Amino acid sequence: DRAIARELTFQAAKARGLILAPEQQADVERVLAEALARAGTPYTLPGYNAEAQAAFEAREREAQLLQNLLLGETGSPAAPATDEQIQQYYAAHASEFSPLPRKAEAREQAWLLVESDIRAKLAAAAQARYDEKRLRLIAELESQAQVEYLVAPGNP
């Protein structure tokens, strides 16, 4: 399934004229360099082709970046929650949290815990929305490409 999604992503990006920005291309090259640097480590398996694995990892990263472009600017789950979003969440869900202490230092320490909790919740929600959008995109690309499975998805 991942291989099909990756190939459909490349085909859709090419058809729409999407290309990676220089900083995104640099990210793909960084992934390639890091994968090549791992070659020969104690964890390398016999018969392991480090160059092929590195190329695969770079292609995977490129596909992820292209999927983000296909999903649009709001498609990436990477953007952390803003202070404003955290304040809005807290205002709407204040009853879920213990009251903040009155003393400034204790209040600041308590707020750090609350803020961390809210950031985690907002990140999980953003990731879930992104995953849903990504699955819809792949399903749309598959339906347009009329992929024919010779083996049922999920079966080896």
Side-chain angles (χ1 to χ4, degrees), residues 6 9-10 13 18-20 24-25 27-28 31 55-69:
R6 186 175 47 252
T9 297
F10 281 114
L18 296 176
I19 59 171
L20 298 179
Q24 293 170 314
Q25 188 59 44
D27 186 45
V28 171
V31 167
F56 172 79
E57 290 179 32
R59 190 158 170 83
E60 267 295 294
R61 181 62 181 146
E62 185 177 2
Q64 290 171 346
L65 293 169
L66 287 170
Q67 279 181 6
N68 286 348
L69 291 175

Side-chain angles (χ1 to χ4, degrees), residues 39-57:
T41 64
Y43 304 104
T44 300
L45 301 172
Y48 176 82
N49 184 329
E51 291 79 15
Q53 180 62 33
F56 172 79
E57 290 179 32

Side-chain angles (χ1 to χ4, degrees), residues 7 13 20 29 35 41 53-54 75 78 86 89 94 96 105 108 136:
E7 187 56 36
L20 298 179
E29 291 168 11
T41 64
Q53 180 62 33
I86 292 168
Y89 184 94
E96 296 175 15
E105 187 174 316
E108 187 176 313
R136 281 196 312 260

Side-chain angles (χ1 to χ4, degrees), residues 60-141:
E60 267 295 294
R61 181 62 181 146
E62 185 177 2
Q64 290 171 346
L65 293 169
L66 287 170
Q67 279 181 6
N68 286 348
L69 291 175
L70 288 167
L71 289 169
E73 289 299 319
T74 60
S76 176
T82 65
D83 290 339
E84 182 181 342
Q85 290 170 320
I86 292 168
Q87 291 293 335
Q88 289 172 350
Y89 184 94
Y90 182 74
H93 301 90
S95 63
E96 296 175 15
F97 303 97
S98 299
L100 295 173
R102 292 184 186 268
K103 290 186 177 181
E105 187 174 316
R107 184 179 185 88
E108 187 176 313
Q109 290 298 317
W111 176 250
L112 290 175
L113 294 174
V114 169
E115 181 182 32
S116 176
D117 185 36
I118 293 171
R119 280 189 193 282
K121 288 178 181 182
L122 292 176
Q127 183 66 50
R129 285 189 305 275
Y130 173 79
D131 291 343
E132 183 180 322
K133 287 173 70 175
R134 185 187 158 284
L135 289 174
R136 281 196 312 260
L137 171 69
I138 297 303
E140 178 186 329
L141 293 176

